[in-house]
Amino acid sequence: PKTLFRRNSTRISRWIAHPVYWTYYAFYPLTRVLSSYTGYLSRIAGPIEELLTGRKRSTREEIRSLQKRIGITTVYVTHDQEEAMAISDRIVVMNNGRIAQDGSPRDLYERPNDRFVVTFMGEASIVPALATEDGAVLAGRPIPMDRRDVPIGPAELAIRPHAVQLRPQGGDGIPGSVVRATYAGDHMEYDVRLAGTETTVFAIDTH
């Protein structure tokens, strides 16, 4: 019901607006409020992205645990794709008030419908390519892949950073040159320019 949180909305909004309060004590009264409405649809909007990294993870885990413990269907509103993927069984991506795509986190990340969903669900290099019967051609090299319903001809190819494997020169890969390398603690980040083109691909190497 739309009036579910009306009498508690001021207090809940105050907790959500201040991440420090949210992480420290908001879960007890929030749990109490939700418990009295078990079986109903609830809506939570919270800026977890404002928390420190360690707090983000523990807060996401607490929300997920709360959902399962109470057994309540929850609509969680966020602009952060990591939050959406971490606590959701199903994600609905909205674009200008319309549903761009809905499905499981894996479906949306690995099989996005369009450019908007691609970029919302995470980092990706969107590069010009040629759709063929067997997949795509990038920088003059064939790439076997599921073409889905993309018509044969010029197209855009979205490449996730972790899908790029950097190897020494040679072999059957697409040649390129590293134009930027950044140490990011638990991984390295690279910008790679594909040989013979102006196309640059972003890659993440965790090894």
Side-chain angles (χ1 to χ4, degrees):
K2 294 182 179 179
T3 58
L4 179 59
F5 287 130
R6 180 163 295 174
R7 61 178 177 172
N8 302 92
S9 60
T10 301
R11 296 175 63 190
I12 291 177
S13 295
R14 184 169 66 250
W15 294 327
I16 290 175
H18 299 281
V20 173
Y21 299 151
W22 169 272
T23 57
Y24 187 65
Y25 64 77
F27 277 117
Y28 169 69
L30 184 58
T31 303
R32 186 175 57 194
V33 171
L34 291 179
S35 295
S36 64
Y37 293 97
T38 301
Y40 288 83
L41 179 69
S42 68
R43 176 183 181 273
I44 303 176
I48 293 180
E49 65 270 17
E50 295 183 14
L51 306 179
L52 297 176
T53 301
R55 290 291 188 182
K56 285 183 183 180
R57 185 170 55 255
S58 61
T59 301
R60 290 197 301 254
E61 291 172 355
E62 181 63 25
I63 290 176
R64 191 65 170 160
S65 174
L66 187 65
Q67 291 172 314
K68 292 183 177 296
R69 188 164 63 249
I70 297 175
I72 191 171
T73 300
T74 304
V75 177
Y76 188 88
V77 183
T78 181
H79 294 282
D80 188 310
Q81 58 91 5
E82 284 189 15
E83 287 180 29
M85 295 178 71
I87 67 176
S88 302
D89 297 308
R90 178 183 176 189
I91 298 174
V92 178
V93 177
M94 304 293 294
N95 183 15
N96 293 325
R98 297 178 179 273
I99 296 177
Q101 188 174 350
D102 73 275
S104 69
R106 183 180 294 275
D107 285 341
L108 269 64
Y109 186 82
E110 297 182 359
R111 299 176 64 84
N113 281 344
D114 56 29
R115 175 190 279 258
F116 180 82
V117 179
V118 168
T119 55
F120 175 81
M121 293 304 296
E123 187 81 43
S125 300
I126 301 178
V127 299
L130 181 68
T132 66
E133 288 284 356
D134 300 319
V137 173
L138 176 63
R141 298 292 183 97
I143 304 176
M145 61 184 299
D146 180 7
R147 185 169 55 86
R148 300 175 64 187
D149 56 352
V150 176
I152 294 176
E156 290 183 327
L157 181 63
I159 305 173
R160 298 291 186 194
H162 292 92
V164 180
Q165 296 181 355
L166 301 181
R167 299 175 180 174
Q169 193 169 8
D172 58 356
I174 299 175
S177 56
V178 174
V179 295
R180 184 186 65 86
T182 303
Y183 173 72
D186 60 350
H187 66 272
M188 289 291 296
E189 298 180 354
Y190 300 96
D191 283 336
V192 181
R193 180 172 294 119
L194 305 185
T197 74
E198 294 299 318
T199 300
T200 300
V201 174
F202 177 58
I204 291 179
D205 187 359
T206 57
H207 301 294

